[in-house]
Amino acid sequence: MSNENFIWGVATAAHQIEGAWLEDGKGLNTWDVFAHTPGKIKNNDTAAVACDHYHRYEEDIELMAQLGVKGYRFSIAWSRILPQGKGEVNQAGIDFYNRLIDGLLAKGITPFITLYHWDLPATLQFEDDGWLSYSTAEYFAEYADVCFKAFGDRVKHWMTFNENWCSAVLGHGIGCFAPGRVSRTEPYIAAHNLCLAHGLAVQKFRQGDYGVVGIANNCDFREPLTDKPEDKAAAQEALEFFYGWLTDPVVFGEYPAIMRERVGDRLPEFTPEQKEMLKGSCDFLGLNHYTTHYASREKPEANVIGGDEGNGGIDEDQQVFLSKDPEWAPTSMGWFVVPWGIRKMLNWVSDRYKGLPIYVTENGCSVNDNDPSTAKHDGFRADFVRGYTAAVKQARDEDGVDVRGYFCWSLIDNFEWTRGYDMRFGLIFCNFETQERIPKDSYYAYQEVIKADA
Ligand code: BGC
């Protein structure tokens, strides 16, 4: 089966690929500061140069065109547009994204913009406490409005945020992501302000004629370990704590009931006006999906995994144990390859948020090979791409899920946050010393998938 309107695409994020961290008036962001703090990132890598996409975007567009993608999801660096996060607009930043957008359109590639992929202008962290403060949500809406007005004549697909779960839990709970806060209460406060920022930005969006707007939240799938009702409940609750936490508010205007019950006073409340604003504030939903785990109420005897990463919400608030099937192959990141998980995940999203179209806004895997002579042969990733895209097509064609696109993460190896350049997610190898780009076997495998579905 094929679907001619389905968008096969690739995804990246500004901070991970652009480089040019101090060029043309760009301000510092929290990841610039975090990464330049010794000990925070593997090998003390920083994204100062990254893939130098800021200067090499034309070559990258050409590589996308040859791959045959119809869509490109990228993010805008807030501090390139507003170096201080607020106040004066930096025209050179606007000019860069205009060149990028026009270059994509000239090749028939539809731009999908994410307004925020974790790179908060540092001034807003220093002066306003970042996402712990409601004023950051207000500044975000002003920044979003600048982007809608500058690019909305040509860009018709927008996402406010990427993976608010990571900003909340990894940035304010565990502290392995910028701004590096460690707390049991702050993740819920940060998440609250992020949801409100989405709502405020969408109010601005809907005053103009800019197309459709959604949000890209992430979720690993939770399969009940057994058929026991308590394990089914554990899996369902774990999904509500993960995807529901950040998505229910922007669709229904409320947090999931199970969260209110478990988190109690640490979960902030929306006012009636805020609920009204948030309800129905997405025209579509993005899903970033990477792996699957079993969920159970009791601790299983074997194969238990988890600890602080990979769970939804703050771990102990959930009362769910995660485990794995020893047969599942791990990627270099340690994430298990379970293609049927994306099909079930898409069905779960489609059932819970009825009537909203879905895009898989990220899916991919890391294969760690830093050697340019061998990294090209990434059969593991080629198989991953074939397996996961087939499962997405099953959801679309056999289950009737309204999934309208799939964006492979990532176009090119890039700055993988805490793991620096040590983790390679690209369909294209990036030699970070010479900036040479080498398409990998997975690039050609994805090209075949796209052709076969045309
Ligand atoms: C993020 C990307 C990241 C990828 C792999 C997602 O969580 O949106 O920025 O590189 O996963 O870790």
Side-chain angles (χ1 to χ4, degrees):
M1 286 271 268
S2 70
N3 182 335
E4 60 178 308
N5 295 320
F6 191 84
I7 303 257
W8 292 104
V10 284
T12 64
H15 190 74
Q16 294 179 272
I17 65 164
E18 284 180 6
W21 74 306
L22 291 175
E23 266 178 69
D24 291 345
K26 177 184 161 290
L28 285 182
N29 66 54
T30 49
W31 269 94
D32 289 321
V33 177
F34 193 68
H36 282 85
T37 309
K40 292 293 185 197
I41 309 291
K42 182 107 195 252
N43 301 325
N44 287 325
D45 287 339
T46 75
V49 178
C51 311
D52 195 27
H53 172 78
Y54 187 76
H55 299 112
R56 293 168 198 262
Y57 66 94
E58 284 172 313
E59 185 182 346
D60 292 339
I61 293 173
E62 188 52 43
L63 285 162
M64 281 184 244
Q66 282 168 22
L67 175 57
V69 290
K70 284 199 264 177
Y72 176 44
R73 173 176 178 246
F74 61 95
S75 78
I76 292 187
W78 184 345
S79 70
R80 239 185 239 298
I81 303 290
L82 293 153
Q84 306 299 315
K86 48 190 166 184
E88 211 159 309
V89 172
N90 175 35
Q91 188 56 41
I94 304 263
D95 293 346
F96 168 67
Y97 293 107
N98 272 331
R99 291 196 296 275
L100 176 63
I101 291 163
D102 292 343
L104 290 165
L105 292 172
K107 294 279 180 187
I109 300 170
T110 304
F112 281 64
I113 288 185
T114 309
L115 288 165
Y116 183 80
H117 199 124
W118 308 345
D119 45 354
L120 184 75
T123 314
L124 295 183
Q125 189 68 44
F126 299 149
E127 294 180 2
D128 298 273
D129 244 356
W131 292 112
L132 296 176
S133 146
Y134 179 72
S135 58
T136 301
E138 296 177 307
Y139 290 127
F140 175 78
E142 286 169 27
Y143 150 66
D145 201 34
V146 170
C147 295
F148 301 148
K149 289 185 170 130
F151 313 122
D153 56 334
R154 287 151 294 150
V155 178
K156 299 297 173 190
H157 296 83
W158 296 80
M159 279 148 282
T160 50
F161 286 95
N162 179 73
E163 302 194 357
N164 281 345
W165 182 91
C166 294
S167 303
V169 176
L170 306 182
H172 294 81
I174 297 164
C176 58
F177 274 19
R181 306 278 310 165
V182 180
S183 160
R184 284 188 74 231
T185 48
E186 289 182 3
Y188 296 112
I189 299 168
H192 197 71
N193 287 318
L194 285 157
C195 289
L196 290 169
H198 165 91
L200 293 172
V202 172
Q203 280 188 330
K204 304 263 190 205
F205 186 83
R206 291 190 173 156
Q207 285 163 19
D209 181 15
Y210 308 127
V212 288
V213 65
I215 195 164
N217 278 323
N218 56 315
C219 200
D220 301 342
F221 189 64
R222 303 306 189 215
E223 174 76 0
L225 179 62
T226 72
D227 279 343
K228 288 188 211 150
E230 56 270 33
D231 288 346
K232 287 186 175 165
Q236 171 64 19
E237 290 166 16
L239 290 166
E240 291 183 24
F241 258 88
F242 205 150
Y243 198 75
W245 173 22
L246 293 319
T247 310
D248 277 22
V250 295
V251 177
F252 307 132
E254 294 267 21
Y255 291 113
I258 188 70
M259 292 193 66
R260 168 108 7 249
E261 195 183 297
R262 294 267 165 76
V263 182
D265 290 351
R266 283 177 298 133
L267 193 67
E269 299 214 24
F270 296 114
T271 66
E273 295 74 32
Q274 289 171 338
K275 287 183 190 178
E276 235 6 79
M277 169 181 80
L278 291 172
K279 225 168 156 178
S281 63
C282 285
D283 301 320
F284 69 88
L285 293 177
L287 169 69
N288 292 5
H289 174 83
Y290 285 90
T291 193
T292 289
H293 299 132
Y294 286 126
S296 56
R297 188 59 84 212
E298 300 295 327
K299 190 168 183 171
E301 278 167 19
N303 301 317
V304 178
I305 50 166
D308 37 13
E309 278 182 73
N311 284 308
I314 303 306
D315 296 353
E316 65 272 23
D317 293 334
Q318 283 189 69
Q319 304 177 6
V320 171
F321 287 95
L322 301 179
S323 54
K324 65 175 178 183
D325 183 328
E327 300 289 307
W328 292 342
T331 67
S332 300
M333 206 70 176
W335 299 347
F336 305 109
V337 181
V338 190
W340 53 258
I342 199 168
R343 180 178 181 181
K344 292 197 177 196
M345 189 70 228
L346 282 166
N347 275 277
W348 188 87
V349 173
S350 162
D351 286 347
R352 189 171 181 87
Y353 308 101
K354 291 196 176 33
L356 285 178
I358 308 167
Y359 289 89
V360 176
T361 35
E362 278 181 35
N363 171 244
C365 87
S366 58
V367 178
N368 250 10
D369 187 349
N370 298 338
D371 179 345
S373 62
T374 51
K376 194 183 171 319
H377 299 301
D378 61 341
F380 188 90
R381 182 178 2 248
D383 286 344
F384 179 100
V385 169
R386 288 188 203 103
Y388 272 80
T389 54
V392 170
K393 284 203 279 179
Q394 285 175 323
R396 182 191 74 187
D397 301 337
E398 294 171 32
D399 308 339
V401 171
D402 186 9
V403 53
R404 301 202 181 169
Y406 172 94
F407 293 81
C408 187
W409 185 271
S410 182
L411 172 68
I412 185 167
D413 296 335
N414 55 49
F415 176 75
E416 179 49 36
W417 308 111
T418 308
R419 316 301 286 263
Y421 297 106
D422 193 46
M423 235 5 111
R424 290 183 178 265
F425 273 88
L427 297 170
I428 298 171
F429 181 84
C430 184
N431 182 327
F432 295 106
E433 271 151 36
T434 62
Q435 290 300 339
E436 190 191 0
R437 275 101 163 111
I438 307 170
K440 302 179 191 172
D441 290 350
S442 58
Y443 174 96
Y444 298 105
Y446 190 37
Q447 196 173 50
E448 287 304 314
V449 167
I450 297 172
K451 266 196 213 144
D453 196 50

